[in-house]
């Protein structure tokens, strides 16, 4: 059976807790895969805001998600509080890998590992951009 294996963040830069809501639940009565990506988006926005950034202004240019991968480890259910521990993987001239380890607060069960490939983007010119110095300092 195919199975991807993602790394956990080596160094946690930011943690946030998010509660699973009824709209996040699928017909199997557990957290839906698309909902987990939405929750990751929320965690990413909170992390960026903690440094004074947003996805439209990450130090002078925007950010776009180039790819996403999820390794599911356990189910989560309505009202579970999930802790998202975020860290950085590889960095390049124009982007970085954002890693998240997600666990249920109630019992500490690991729920998922998530990897997002993030690219700096100049929306006006519609092309990739170099990582701004202010953002480099933020993740250092």
């Amino acid at each position: 059976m195919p199975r991807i294996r993602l790394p956990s963040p080596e160094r946690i830069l930011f943690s946030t807790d998010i509660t699973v809501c009824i709209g996040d639940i699928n017909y199997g009565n557990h957290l839906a895969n698309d909902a987990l990506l939405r929750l990751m988006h929320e965690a990413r926005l909170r992390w960026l805001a903690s440094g004074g950034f947003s996805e439209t202004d990450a130090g002078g240019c925007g950010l776009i998600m180039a790819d996403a991968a999820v390794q599911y480890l356990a189910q989560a259910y309505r009202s579970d509080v999930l802790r998202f521990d975020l860290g950085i993987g590889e960095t390049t001239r124009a982007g970085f890998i954002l890693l998240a380890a997600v666990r249920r607060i109630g019992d500490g069960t690991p729920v998922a590992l998530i990897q997002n490939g993030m690219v700096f983007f100049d929306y006006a010119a519609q092309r990739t951009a170099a990582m701004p110095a202010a953002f480099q300092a933020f993740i250092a």
Side-chain angles (χ1 to χ4, degrees):
M1 166 165 54
R3 185 162 182 210
I4 64 170
R5 299 204 189 285
L6 298 176
S8 290
E10 290 182 15
R11 182 173 63 106
I12 306 302
L13 297 177
F14 181 80
S15 295
T16 190
D17 297 344
I18 302 175
T19 302
V20 177
C21 297
I22 191 63
D24 300 324
I25 301 300
N26 66 14
Y27 60 87
N29 203 33
H30 59 259
L31 179 63
N33 57 6
D34 61 321
L36 180 58
L37 288 174
R38 281 194 312 274
L39 297 179
M40 177 61 182
H41 189 188
E42 176 64 28
R44 186 172 65 245
L45 290 174
R46 291 179 186 184
W47 168 63
L48 289 169
S50 77
F53 300 108
S54 70
E55 288 185 331
T56 57
D57 185 2
C61 59
L63 276 170
I64 57 173
M65 185 170 54
D67 56 55
V70 178
Q71 180 182 347
Y72 298 98
L73 304 170
Q75 296 179 30
Y77 304 96
R78 181 180 170 271
S79 300
D80 281 350
V81 178
L82 302 180
R83 163 105 8 110
F84 286 73
D85 290 326
L86 305 183
I88 299 294
E90 178 185 357
T91 61
T92 65
R93 180 193 73 77
F96 62 95
I97 300 296
L98 181 62
L99 300 170
V102 183
R103 73 179 187 281
R104 186 172 29 248
I105 293 294
D107 61 6
T109 298
V111 171
L113 296 170
I114 304 171
Q115 178 175 299
N116 289 162
M118 303 301 295
V119 176
F120 292 93
F121 198 72
D122 179 337
Y123 281 95
Q126 288 293 294
R127 65 173 189 249
T128 60
M131 183 184 300
F135 199 88
Q136 288 176 358
F138 176 60
I139 65 173

